[in-house]
Amino acid sequence: MILSPDILISLSTLVAAFAIASAVSGWSERVFPTVSLAALAAGVGVFAYAYNAIPDPEGWREVPDAFISVLARIIN
């Protein structure tokens, strides 16, 4: 089962945001953030795949629209 691009964009954005926060935390403790950088690369890759899967993308407006779409699916 392939997930909707909206769901993939939302999840990959959250993964990338948490990976950046974790990488900064590891860097501040003088530890090389290997897992954080791998998670960041995976999040960016999934984001690029999902963005290219959208038939007619509207630029960066797709990110908030994706979050709104996922929230509407959860509420409904």
Side-chain angles (χ1 to χ4, degrees), residues 33-71:
T34 306
V35 176
S36 301
L37 293 179
L40 180 61
V44 170
V46 170
F47 183 89
Y49 169 76
Y51 188 78
N52 288 331
I54 297 173
D56 189 25
E58 297 178 8
W60 288 106
R61 184 180 169 141
E62 290 295 330
V63 176
D65 287 346
F67 276 97
I68 291 169
S69 173
V70 169
L71 183 64

PDB file of all heavy atoms in Angstrom, residues 33-71:
ATOM      1  N   PRO A  33      26.658  13.284  15.092  1.00  0.00           N
ATOM      2  CA  PRO A  33      25.275  12.808  15.022  1.00  0.00           C
ATOM      3  C   PRO A  33      25.011  11.925  13.799  1.00  0.00           C
ATOM      4  O   PRO A  33      24.322  12.317  12.856  1.00  0.00           O
ATOM      5  CB  PRO A  33      24.465  14.101  14.961  1.00  0.00           C
ATOM      6  CG  PRO A  33      25.372  15.070  14.290  1.00  0.00           C
ATOM      7  CD  PRO A  33      26.758  14.693  14.720  1.00  0.00           C
ATOM      8  N   THR A  34      25.519  10.714  13.794  1.00  0.00           N
ATOM      9  CA  THR A  34      25.388   9.817  12.642  1.00  0.00           C
ATOM     10  C   THR A  34      23.934   9.449  12.378  1.00  0.00           C
ATOM     11  O   THR A  34      23.455   9.542  11.243  1.00  0.00           O
ATOM     12  CB  THR A  34      26.204   8.532  12.890  1.00  0.00           C
ATOM     13  OG1 THR A  34      27.538   8.895  13.219  1.00  0.00           O
ATOM     14  CG2 THR A  34      26.206   7.653  11.674  1.00  0.00           C
ATOM     15  N   VAL A  35      23.234   9.007  13.401  1.00  0.00           N
ATOM     16  CA  VAL A  35      21.844   8.578  13.225  1.00  0.00           C
ATOM     17  C   VAL A  35      20.965   9.773  12.853  1.00  0.00           C
ATOM     18  O   VAL A  35      20.065   9.653  12.010  1.00  0.00           O
ATOM     19  CB  VAL A  35      21.326   7.886  14.504  1.00  0.00           C
ATOM     20  CG1 VAL A  35      19.869   7.519  14.375  1.00  0.00           C
ATOM     21  CG2 VAL A  35      22.164   6.657  14.805  1.00  0.00           C
ATOM     22  N   SER A  36      21.232  10.916  13.438  1.00  0.00           N
ATOM     23  CA  SER A  36      20.451  12.110  13.115  1.00  0.00           C
ATOM     24  C   SER A  36      20.636  12.520  11.656  1.00  0.00           C
ATOM     25  O   SER A  36      19.672  12.888  10.980  1.00  0.00           O
ATOM     26  CB  SER A  36      20.868  13.275  14.006  1.00  0.00           C
ATOM     27  OG  SER A  36      20.671  12.952  15.346  1.00  0.00           O
ATOM     28  N   LEU A  37      21.857  12.450  11.177  1.00  0.00           N
ATOM     29  CA  LEU A  37      22.103  12.810   9.784  1.00  0.00           C
ATOM     30  C   LEU A  37      21.491  11.787   8.830  1.00  0.00           C
ATOM     31  O   LEU A  37      21.002  12.152   7.756  1.00  0.00           O
ATOM     32  CB  LEU A  37      23.602  12.956   9.538  1.00  0.00           C
ATOM     33  CG  LEU A  37      24.266  14.126  10.265  1.00  0.00           C
ATOM     34  CD1 LEU A  37      25.757  14.146   9.972  1.00  0.00           C
ATOM     35  CD2 LEU A  37      23.625  15.439   9.883  1.00  0.00           C
ATOM     36  N   ALA A  38      21.481  10.512   9.224  1.00  0.00           N
ATOM     37  CA  ALA A  38      20.821   9.494   8.407  1.00  0.00           C
ATOM     38  C   ALA A  38      19.312   9.730   8.372  1.00  0.00           C
ATOM     39  O   ALA A  38      18.679   9.604   7.314  1.00  0.00           O
ATOM     40  CB  ALA A  38      21.136   8.103   8.947  1.00  0.00           C
ATOM     41  N   ALA A  39      18.733  10.079   9.507  1.00  0.00           N
ATOM     42  CA  ALA A  39      17.295  10.377   9.550  1.00  0.00           C
ATOM     43  C   ALA A  39      16.978  11.629   8.742  1.00  0.00           C
ATOM     44  O   ALA A  39      15.950  11.694   8.062  1.00  0.00           O
ATOM     45  CB  ALA A  39      16.835  10.558  10.999  1.00  0.00           C
ATOM     46  N   LEU A  40      17.852  12.616   8.783  1.00  0.00           N
ATOM     47  CA  LEU A  40      17.655  13.826   7.988  1.00  0.00           C
ATOM     48  C   LEU A  40      17.709  13.507   6.495  1.00  0.00           C
ATOM     49  O   LEU A  40      16.874  13.988   5.722  1.00  0.00           O
ATOM     50  CB  LEU A  40      18.706  14.875   8.346  1.00  0.00           C
ATOM     51  CG  LEU A  40      18.641  16.195   7.590  1.00  0.00           C
ATOM     52  CD1 LEU A  40      17.313  16.889   7.857  1.00  0.00           C
ATOM     53  CD2 LEU A  40      19.800  17.078   7.968  1.00  0.00           C
ATOM     54  N   ALA A  41      18.664  12.681   6.095  1.00  0.00           N
ATOM     55  CA  ALA A  41      18.764  12.291   4.684  1.00  0.00           C
ATOM     56  C   ALA A  41      17.529  11.510   4.245  1.00  0.00           C
ATOM     57  O   ALA A  41      17.005  11.729   3.142  1.00  0.00           O
ATOM     58  CB  ALA A  41      20.030  11.467   4.462  1.00  0.00           C
ATOM     59  N   ALA A  42      17.047  10.615   5.099  1.00  0.00           N
ATOM     60  CA  ALA A  42      15.847   9.841   4.768  1.00  0.00           C
ATOM     61  C   ALA A  42      14.629  10.759   4.677  1.00  0.00           C
ATOM     62  O   ALA A  42      13.802  10.617   3.765  1.00  0.00           O
ATOM     63  CB  ALA A  42      15.616   8.756   5.817  1.00  0.00           C
ATOM     64  N   GLY A  43      14.501  11.704   5.587  1.00  0.00           N
ATOM     65  CA  GLY A  43      13.382  12.633   5.558  1.00  0.00           C
ATOM     66  C   GLY A  43      13.393  13.508   4.310  1.00  0.00           C
ATOM     67  O   GLY A  43      12.355  13.715   3.677  1.00  0.00           O
ATOM     68  N   VAL A  44      14.556  13.981   3.934  1.00  0.00           N
ATOM     69  CA  VAL A  44      14.662  14.803   2.728  1.00  0.00           C
ATOM     70  C   VAL A  44      14.373  13.974   1.483  1.00  0.00           C
ATOM     71  O   VAL A  44      13.704  14.428   0.552  1.00  0.00           O
ATOM     72  CB  VAL A  44      16.049  15.479   2.657  1.00  0.00           C
ATOM     73  CG1 VAL A  44      16.282  16.129   1.300  1.00  0.00           C
ATOM     74  CG2 VAL A  44      16.194  16.506   3.767  1.00  0.00           C
ATOM     75  N   GLY A  45      14.847  12.735   1.464  1.00  0.00           N
ATOM     76  CA  GLY A  45      14.591  11.862   0.323  1.00  0.00           C
ATOM     77  C   GLY A  45      13.119  11.533   0.154  1.00  0.00           C
ATOM     78  O   GLY A  45      12.588  11.569  -0.958  1.00  0.00           O
ATOM     79  N   VAL A  46      12.453  11.221   1.248  1.00  0.00           N
ATOM     80  CA  VAL A  46      11.018  10.924   1.175  1.00  0.00           C
ATOM     81  C   VAL A  46      10.235  12.178   0.798  1.00  0.00           C
ATOM     82  O   VAL A  46       9.275  12.111   0.030  1.00  0.00           O
ATOM     83  CB  VAL A  46      10.510  10.332   2.510  1.00  0.00           C
ATOM     84  CG1 VAL A  46       9.002  10.237   2.540  1.00  0.00           C
ATOM     85  CG2 VAL A  46      11.132   8.972   2.739  1.00  0.00           C
ATOM     86  N   PHE A  47      10.668  13.332   1.300  1.00  0.00           N
ATOM     87  CA  PHE A  47      10.008  14.584   0.931  1.00  0.00           C
ATOM     88  C   PHE A  47      10.133  14.830  -0.568  1.00  0.00           C
ATOM     89  O   PHE A  47       9.158  15.200  -1.225  1.00  0.00           O
ATOM     90  CB  PHE A  47      10.601  15.756   1.707  1.00  0.00           C
ATOM     91  CG  PHE A  47       9.925  17.069   1.420  1.00  0.00           C
ATOM     92  CD1 PHE A  47       8.829  17.451   2.163  1.00  0.00           C
ATOM     93  CD2 PHE A  47      10.378  17.909   0.416  1.00  0.00           C
ATOM     94  CE1 PHE A  47       8.192  18.657   1.910  1.00  0.00           C
ATOM     95  CE2 PHE A  47       9.753  19.106   0.153  1.00  0.00           C
ATOM     96  CZ  PHE A  47       8.659  19.484   0.901  1.00  0.00           C
ATOM     97  N   ALA A  48      11.326  14.634  -1.121  1.00  0.00           N
ATOM     98  CA  ALA A  48      11.528  14.844  -2.562  1.00  0.00           C
ATOM     99  C   ALA A  48      10.688  13.868  -3.381  1.00  0.00           C
ATOM    100  O   ALA A  48      10.090  14.246  -4.395  1.00  0.00           O
ATOM    101  CB  ALA A  48      13.004  14.692  -2.903  1.00  0.00           C
ATOM    102  N   TYR A  49      10.628  12.608  -2.938  1.00  0.00           N
ATOM    103  CA  TYR A  49       9.803  11.616  -3.640  1.00  0.00           C
ATOM    104  C   TYR A  49       8.330  12.005  -3.610  1.00  0.00           C
ATOM    105  O   TYR A  49       7.642  11.959  -4.628  1.00  0.00           O
ATOM    106  CB  TYR A  49       9.998  10.235  -3.011  1.00  0.00           C
ATOM    107  CG  TYR A  49       8.995   9.224  -3.484  1.00  0.00           C
ATOM    108  CD1 TYR A  49       9.108   8.654  -4.746  1.00  0.00           C
ATOM    109  CD2 TYR A  49       7.917   8.844  -2.691  1.00  0.00           C
ATOM    110  CE1 TYR A  49       8.173   7.734  -5.205  1.00  0.00           C
ATOM    111  CE2 TYR A  49       6.981   7.934  -3.133  1.00  0.00           C
ATOM    112  CZ  TYR A  49       7.121   7.374  -4.384  1.00  0.00           C
ATOM    113  OH  TYR A  49       6.188   6.474  -4.837  1.00  0.00           O
ATOM    114  N   ALA A  50       7.840  12.404  -2.444  1.00  0.00           N
ATOM    115  CA  ALA A  50       6.421  12.755  -2.310  1.00  0.00           C
ATOM    116  C   ALA A  50       6.097  14.032  -3.082  1.00  0.00           C
ATOM    117  O   ALA A  50       5.039  14.131  -3.697  1.00  0.00           O
ATOM    118  CB  ALA A  50       6.062  12.931  -0.836  1.00  0.00           C
ATOM    119  N   TYR A  51       7.003  15.002  -3.068  1.00  0.00           N
ATOM    120  CA  TYR A  51       6.756  16.244  -3.791  1.00  0.00           C
ATOM    121  C   TYR A  51       6.711  15.986  -5.301  1.00  0.00           C
ATOM    122  O   TYR A  51       5.912  16.584  -6.011  1.00  0.00           O
ATOM    123  CB  TYR A  51       7.832  17.274  -3.458  1.00  0.00           C
ATOM    124  CG  TYR A  51       7.547  18.636  -4.016  1.00  0.00           C
ATOM    125  CD1 TYR A  51       6.629  19.468  -3.392  1.00  0.00           C
ATOM    126  CD2 TYR A  51       8.183  19.090  -5.160  1.00  0.00           C
ATOM    127  CE1 TYR A  51       6.351  20.714  -3.900  1.00  0.00           C
ATOM    128  CE2 TYR A  51       7.912  20.343  -5.675  1.00  0.00           C
ATOM    129  CZ  TYR A  51       7.002  21.153  -5.041  1.00  0.00           C
ATOM    130  OH  TYR A  51       6.719  22.388  -5.554  1.00  0.00           O
ATOM    131  N   ASN A  52       7.563  15.093  -5.788  1.00  0.00           N
ATOM    132  CA  ASN A  52       7.545  14.751  -7.213  1.00  0.00           C
ATOM    133  C   ASN A  52       6.343  13.894  -7.585  1.00  0.00           C
ATOM    134  O   ASN A  52       5.999  13.809  -8.763  1.00  0.00           O
ATOM    135  CB  ASN A  52       8.834  14.056  -7.617  1.00  0.00           C
ATOM    136  CG  ASN A  52      10.001  15.017  -7.659  1.00  0.00           C
ATOM    137  OD1 ASN A  52       9.830  16.203  -7.905  1.00  0.00           O
ATOM    138  ND2 ASN A  52      11.188  14.501  -7.402  1.00  0.00           N
ATOM    139  N   ALA A  53       5.706  13.256  -6.626  1.00  0.00           N
ATOM    140  CA  ALA A  53       4.536  12.419  -6.897  1.00  0.00           C
ATOM    141  C   ALA A  53       3.260  13.236  -7.037  1.00  0.00           C
ATOM    142  O   ALA A  53       2.257  12.731  -7.523  1.00  0.00           O
ATOM    143  CB  ALA A  53       4.363  11.382  -5.786  1.00  0.00           C
ATOM    144  N   ILE A  54       3.290  14.504  -6.624  1.00  0.00           N
ATOM    145  CA  ILE A  54       2.113  15.367  -6.743  1.00  0.00           C
ATOM    146  C   ILE A  54       1.955  15.753  -8.215  1.00  0.00           C
ATOM    147  O   ILE A  54       2.915  16.196  -8.845  1.00  0.00           O
ATOM    148  CB  ILE A  54       2.271  16.623  -5.863  1.00  0.00           C
ATOM    149  CG1 ILE A  54       2.356  16.225  -4.401  1.00  0.00           C
ATOM    150  CG2 ILE A  54       1.126  17.588  -6.084  1.00  0.00           C
ATOM    151  CD1 ILE A  54       2.684  17.359  -3.483  1.00  0.00           C
ATOM    152  N   PRO A  55       0.757  15.578  -8.769  1.00  0.00           N
ATOM    153  CA  PRO A  55       0.576  15.850 -10.202  1.00  0.00           C
ATOM    154  C   PRO A  55       0.842  17.311 -10.602  1.00  0.00           C
ATOM    155  O   PRO A  55       1.466  17.566 -11.616  1.00  0.00           O
ATOM    156  CB  PRO A  55      -0.890  15.500 -10.466  1.00  0.00           C
ATOM    157  CG  PRO A  55      -1.387  14.822  -9.262  1.00  0.00           C
ATOM    158  CD  PRO A  55      -0.448  15.079  -8.145  1.00  0.00           C
ATOM    159  N   ASP A  56       0.360  18.267  -9.827  1.00  0.00           N
ATOM    160  CA  ASP A  56       0.528  19.680 -10.175  1.00  0.00           C
ATOM    161  C   ASP A  56       0.934  20.457  -8.930  1.00  0.00           C
ATOM    162  O   ASP A  56       0.100  21.095  -8.276  1.00  0.00           O
ATOM    163  CB  ASP A  56      -0.780  20.230 -10.748  1.00  0.00           C
ATOM    164  CG  ASP A  56      -0.617  21.620 -11.328  1.00  0.00           C
ATOM    165  OD1 ASP A  56       0.512  21.968 -11.730  1.00  0.00           O
ATOM    166  OD2 ASP A  56      -1.613  22.351 -11.384  1.00  0.00           O
ATOM    167  N   PRO A  57       2.226  20.426  -8.549  1.00  0.00           N
ATOM    168  CA  PRO A  57       2.632  21.087  -7.302  1.00  0.00           C
ATOM    169  C   PRO A  57       2.536  22.605  -7.403  1.00  0.00           C
ATOM    170  O   PRO A  57       2.737  23.193  -8.453  1.00  0.00           O
ATOM    171  CB  PRO A  57       4.081  20.637  -7.117  1.00  0.00           C
ATOM    172  CG  PRO A  57       4.548  20.255  -8.469  1.00  0.00           C
ATOM    173  CD  PRO A  57       3.337  19.790  -9.225  1.00  0.00           C
ATOM    174  N   GLU A  58       2.214  23.220  -6.280  1.00  0.00           N
ATOM    175  CA  GLU A  58       2.062  24.675  -6.207  1.00  0.00           C
ATOM    176  C   GLU A  58       3.215  25.326  -5.452  1.00  0.00           C
ATOM    177  O   GLU A  58       3.050  26.354  -4.824  1.00  0.00           O
ATOM    178  CB  GLU A  58       0.746  25.024  -5.522  1.00  0.00           C
ATOM    179  CG  GLU A  58      -0.474  24.544  -6.260  1.00  0.00           C
ATOM    180  CD  GLU A  58      -1.746  24.882  -5.523  1.00  0.00           C
ATOM    181  OE1 GLU A  58      -1.688  25.618  -4.518  1.00  0.00           O
ATOM    182  OE2 GLU A  58      -2.802  24.406  -5.948  1.00  0.00           O
ATOM    183  N   GLY A  59       4.361  24.724  -5.454  1.00  0.00           N
ATOM    184  CA  GLY A  59       5.509  25.282  -4.748  1.00  0.00           C
ATOM    185  C   GLY A  59       5.487  24.896  -3.279  1.00  0.00           C
ATOM    186  O   GLY A  59       4.978  23.844  -2.887  1.00  0.00           O
ATOM    187  N   TRP A  60       6.037  25.783  -2.430  1.00  0.00           N
ATOM    188  CA  TRP A  60       6.128  25.472  -1.011  1.00  0.00           C
ATOM    189  C   TRP A  60       4.783  25.534  -0.306  1.00  0.00           C
ATOM    190  O   TRP A  60       4.675  25.167   0.856  1.00  0.00           O
ATOM    191  CB  TRP A  60       7.117  26.417  -0.326  1.00  0.00           C
ATOM    192  CG  TRP A  60       8.509  26.076  -0.714  1.00  0.00           C
ATOM    193  CD1 TRP A  60       9.310  26.762  -1.565  1.00  0.00           C
ATOM    194  CD2 TRP A  60       9.253  24.939  -0.296  1.00  0.00           C
ATOM    195  NE1 TRP A  60      10.506  26.122  -1.701  1.00  0.00           N
ATOM    196  CE2 TRP A  60      10.501  24.996  -0.923  1.00  0.00           C
ATOM    197  CE3 TRP A  60       8.984  23.867   0.543  1.00  0.00           C
ATOM    198  CZ2 TRP A  60      11.476  24.031  -0.735  1.00  0.00           C
ATOM    199  CZ3 TRP A  60       9.958  22.906   0.732  1.00  0.00           C
ATOM    200  CH2 TRP A  60      11.177  22.997   0.103  1.00  0.00           C
ATOM    201  N   ARG A  61       3.756  25.968  -0.994  1.00  0.00           N
ATOM    202  CA  ARG A  61       2.424  25.973  -0.397  1.00  0.00           C
ATOM    203  C   ARG A  61       1.916  24.553  -0.169  1.00  0.00           C
ATOM    204  O   ARG A  61       0.978  24.340   0.595  1.00  0.00           O
ATOM    205  CB  ARG A  61       1.472  26.741  -1.310  1.00  0.00           C
ATOM    206  CG  ARG A  61       0.112  26.859  -0.723  1.00  0.00           C
ATOM    207  CD  ARG A  61      -0.820  27.612  -1.618  1.00  0.00           C
ATOM    208  NE  ARG A  61      -2.151  27.453  -1.092  1.00  0.00           N
ATOM    209  CZ  ARG A  61      -3.035  28.399  -1.081  1.00  0.00           C
ATOM    210  NH1 ARG A  61      -2.731  29.560  -1.585  1.00  0.00           N
ATOM    211  NH2 ARG A  61      -4.228  28.182  -0.584  1.00  0.00           N
ATOM    212  N   GLU A  62       2.528  23.586  -0.798  1.00  0.00           N
ATOM    213  CA  GLU A  62       2.111  22.193  -0.625  1.00  0.00           C
ATOM    214  C   GLU A  62       2.344  21.691   0.797  1.00  0.00           C
ATOM    215  O   GLU A  62       1.621  20.828   1.273  1.00  0.00           O
ATOM    216  CB  GLU A  62       2.866  21.283  -1.606  1.00  0.00           C
ATOM    217  CG  GLU A  62       2.472  21.456  -3.043  1.00  0.00           C
ATOM    218  CD  GLU A  62       1.042  21.047  -3.314  1.00  0.00           C
ATOM    219  OE1 GLU A  62       0.516  20.153  -2.618  1.00  0.00           O
ATOM    220  OE2 GLU A  62       0.449  21.624  -4.232  1.00  0.00           O
ATOM    221  N   VAL A  63       3.338  22.232   1.492  1.00  0.00           N
ATOM    222  CA  VAL A  63       3.647  21.740   2.843  1.00  0.00           C
ATOM    223  C   VAL A  63       2.517  22.065   3.823  1.00  0.00           C
ATOM    224  O   VAL A  63       2.000  21.153   4.477  1.00  0.00           O
ATOM    225  CB  VAL A  63       5.008  22.274   3.325  1.00  0.00           C
ATOM    226  CG1 VAL A  63       5.281  21.842   4.752  1.00  0.00           C
ATOM    227  CG2 VAL A  63       6.118  21.792   2.405  1.00  0.00           C
ATOM    228  N   PRO A  64       2.078  23.317   3.965  1.00  0.00           N
ATOM    229  CA  PRO A  64       0.958  23.549   4.887  1.00  0.00           C
ATOM    230  C   PRO A  64      -0.329  22.883   4.423  1.00  0.00           C
ATOM    231  O   PRO A  64      -1.127  22.422   5.249  1.00  0.00           O
ATOM    232  CB  PRO A  64       0.798  25.060   4.930  1.00  0.00           C
ATOM    233  CG  PRO A  64       1.780  25.639   4.006  1.00  0.00           C
ATOM    234  CD  PRO A  64       2.623  24.567   3.456  1.00  0.00           C
ATOM    235  N   ASP A  65      -0.536  22.830   3.099  1.00  0.00           N
ATOM    236  CA  ASP A  65      -1.725  22.140   2.591  1.00  0.00           C
ATOM    237  C   ASP A  65      -1.707  20.664   2.946  1.00  0.00           C
ATOM    238  O   ASP A  65      -2.749  20.072   3.227  1.00  0.00           O
ATOM    239  CB  ASP A  65      -1.838  22.317   1.075  1.00  0.00           C
ATOM    240  CG  ASP A  65      -2.253  23.717   0.679  1.00  0.00           C
ATOM    241  OD1 ASP A  65      -2.705  24.469   1.571  1.00  0.00           O
ATOM    242  OD2 ASP A  65      -2.120  24.053  -0.513  1.00  0.00           O
ATOM    243  N   ALA A  66      -0.525  20.058   2.934  1.00  0.00           N
ATOM    244  CA  ALA A  66      -0.410  18.652   3.294  1.00  0.00           C
ATOM    245  C   ALA A  66      -0.753  18.437   4.770  1.00  0.00           C
ATOM    246  O   ALA A  66      -1.459  17.486   5.122  1.00  0.00           O
ATOM    247  CB  ALA A  66       0.999  18.142   3.006  1.00  0.00           C
ATOM    248  N   PHE A  67      -0.267  19.327   5.637  1.00  0.00           N
ATOM    249  CA  PHE A  67      -0.586  19.205   7.062  1.00  0.00           C
ATOM    250  C   PHE A  67      -2.083  19.392   7.306  1.00  0.00           C
ATOM    251  O   PHE A  67      -2.679  18.685   8.108  1.00  0.00           O
ATOM    252  CB  PHE A  67       0.218  20.222   7.886  1.00  0.00           C
ATOM    253  CG  PHE A  67       1.588  19.749   8.231  1.00  0.00           C
ATOM    254  CD1 PHE A  67       2.681  20.139   7.467  1.00  0.00           C
ATOM    255  CD2 PHE A  67       1.799  18.915   9.302  1.00  0.00           C
ATOM    256  CE1 PHE A  67       3.946  19.709   7.780  1.00  0.00           C
ATOM    257  CE2 PHE A  67       3.064  18.469   9.627  1.00  0.00           C
ATOM    258  CZ  PHE A  67       4.153  18.874   8.859  1.00  0.00           C
ATOM    259  N   ILE A  68      -2.693  20.333   6.608  1.00  0.00           N
ATOM    260  CA  ILE A  68      -4.133  20.561   6.759  1.00  0.00           C
ATOM    261  C   ILE A  68      -4.908  19.340   6.267  1.00  0.00           C
ATOM    262  O   ILE A  68      -5.886  18.915   6.897  1.00  0.00           O
ATOM    263  CB  ILE A  68      -4.556  21.834   6.007  1.00  0.00           C
ATOM    264  CG1 ILE A  68      -3.969  23.050   6.713  1.00  0.00           C
ATOM    265  CG2 ILE A  68      -6.062  21.944   5.906  1.00  0.00           C
ATOM    266  CD1 ILE A  68      -4.091  24.340   5.930  1.00  0.00           C
ATOM    267  N   SER A  69      -4.471  18.757   5.163  1.00  0.00           N
ATOM    268  CA  SER A  69      -5.139  17.570   4.620  1.00  0.00           C
ATOM    269  C   SER A  69      -5.043  16.383   5.583  1.00  0.00           C
ATOM    270  O   SER A  69      -6.023  15.667   5.799  1.00  0.00           O
ATOM    271  CB  SER A  69      -4.517  17.199   3.275  1.00  0.00           C
ATOM    272  OG  SER A  69      -5.020  15.980   2.814  1.00  0.00           O
ATOM    273  N   VAL A  70      -3.878  16.199   6.178  1.00  0.00           N
ATOM    274  CA  VAL A  70      -3.712  15.089   7.128  1.00  0.00           C
ATOM    275  C   VAL A  70      -4.542  15.333   8.379  1.00  0.00           C
ATOM    276  O   VAL A  70      -5.181  14.406   8.892  1.00  0.00           O
ATOM    277  CB  VAL A  70      -2.214  14.902   7.472  1.00  0.00           C
ATOM    278  CG1 VAL A  70      -2.027  13.952   8.633  1.00  0.00           C
ATOM    279  CG2 VAL A  70      -1.463  14.405   6.248  1.00  0.00           C
ATOM    280  N   LEU A  71      -4.567  16.560   8.866  1.00  0.00           N
ATOM    281  CA  LEU A  71      -5.386  16.880  10.036  1.00  0.00           C
ATOM    282  C   LEU A  71      -6.858  16.669   9.741  1.00  0.00           C
ATOM    283  O   LEU A  71      -7.589  16.143  10.579  1.00  0.00           O
ATOM    284  CB  LEU A  71      -5.123  18.315  10.481  1.00  0.00           C
ATOM    285  CG  LEU A  71      -5.861  18.765  11.731  1.00  0.00           C
ATOM    286  CD1 LEU A  71      -5.401  17.943  12.935  1.00  0.00           C
ATOM    287  CD2 LEU A  71      -5.627  20.233  11.974  1.00  0.00           C
TER     288      LEU A  71
END
